[in-house]
């Protein structure tokens, strides 16, 4: 993780990585804007009594942290937009490397984006059952969540 305006490239040197605006990245990855914003951050899912992280954690908006060569704040962190409640939020840019990772993630786990879409991009306390059709055995849902966590960690 790199904070502040230091998210520009690998290890603080000059980066020649091509970054794209969120609209271009979400189209290239086949995700909605809400899905893109959520899966590139933190997505925590309760599986039984355990909280499992299945988000890619390429950025942390509240702390202005990002993974170099994957994400960066637009205009080196100086560009924030106003939310409906008057607070500001950072807009992020995504590298081609991040988009490839997003495509691979979405291909491996299409149920994650579909489950997030059901909740309209809201950050809620997700349960593994939220991501699958009603009647899916909880064991199957939990197993899928654990597989997603293992994939994200590798």
């Amino acid at each position: 993780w790199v904070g502040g305006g230091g998210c520009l490239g690998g290890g603080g040197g000059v980066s020649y990585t091509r970054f794209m605006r969120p609209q271009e990245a979400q189209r290239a990855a086949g995700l909605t804007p809400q899905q893109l914003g959520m899966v590139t951050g933190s997505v925590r899912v309760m599986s039984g009594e355990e909280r499992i992280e299945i988000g890619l954690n390429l950025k942390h908006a509240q702390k202005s942290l990002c993974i170099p060569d994957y994400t960066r704040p637009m205009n080196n962190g100086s560009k924030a937009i106003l939310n409906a409640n008057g607070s500001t939020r950072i807009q992020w840019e995504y590298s081609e490397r991040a988009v490839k990772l997003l495509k691979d993630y979405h291909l491996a786990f299409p149920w994650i984006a579909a489950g997030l879409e059901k909740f309209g991009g809201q950050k809620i306390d997700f349960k593994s059952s939220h991501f699958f059709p009603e009647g899916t055995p909880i064991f199957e849902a939990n197993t899928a969540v654990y597989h997603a966590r293992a994939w994200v960690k590798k």
Side-chain angles (χ1 to χ4, degrees), residues 43-106:
V43 177
R44 293 186 184 114
V45 180
M46 290 302 294
S47 180
E49 296 296 315
E50 188 176 0
R51 188 178 307 271
I52 307 294
E53 177 60 63
I54 62 171
L56 294 173
N57 285 295
L58 300 178
K59 61 183 176 56
H60 191 294
Q62 288 80 18
K63 296 180 182 178
S64 294
L65 298 173
C66 63
I67 303 295
D69 291 331
Y70 284 87
T71 57
R72 70 179 181 192
M74 288 177 67
N75 295 338
N76 301 335
S78 64
K79 175 94 174 185
I81 59 172
L82 201 58
N83 288 327
N85 66 4
S87 65
T88 59
R89 67 180 169 92
I90 297 170
Q91 283 193 295
W92 297 91
E93 291 180 310
Y94 302 89
S95 70
E96 292 172 333
R97 186 182 221 177
V99 170
K100 181 184 180 335
L101 179 64
L102 284 160
K103 286 178 180 179
D104 292 346
Y105 178 83
H106 187 50

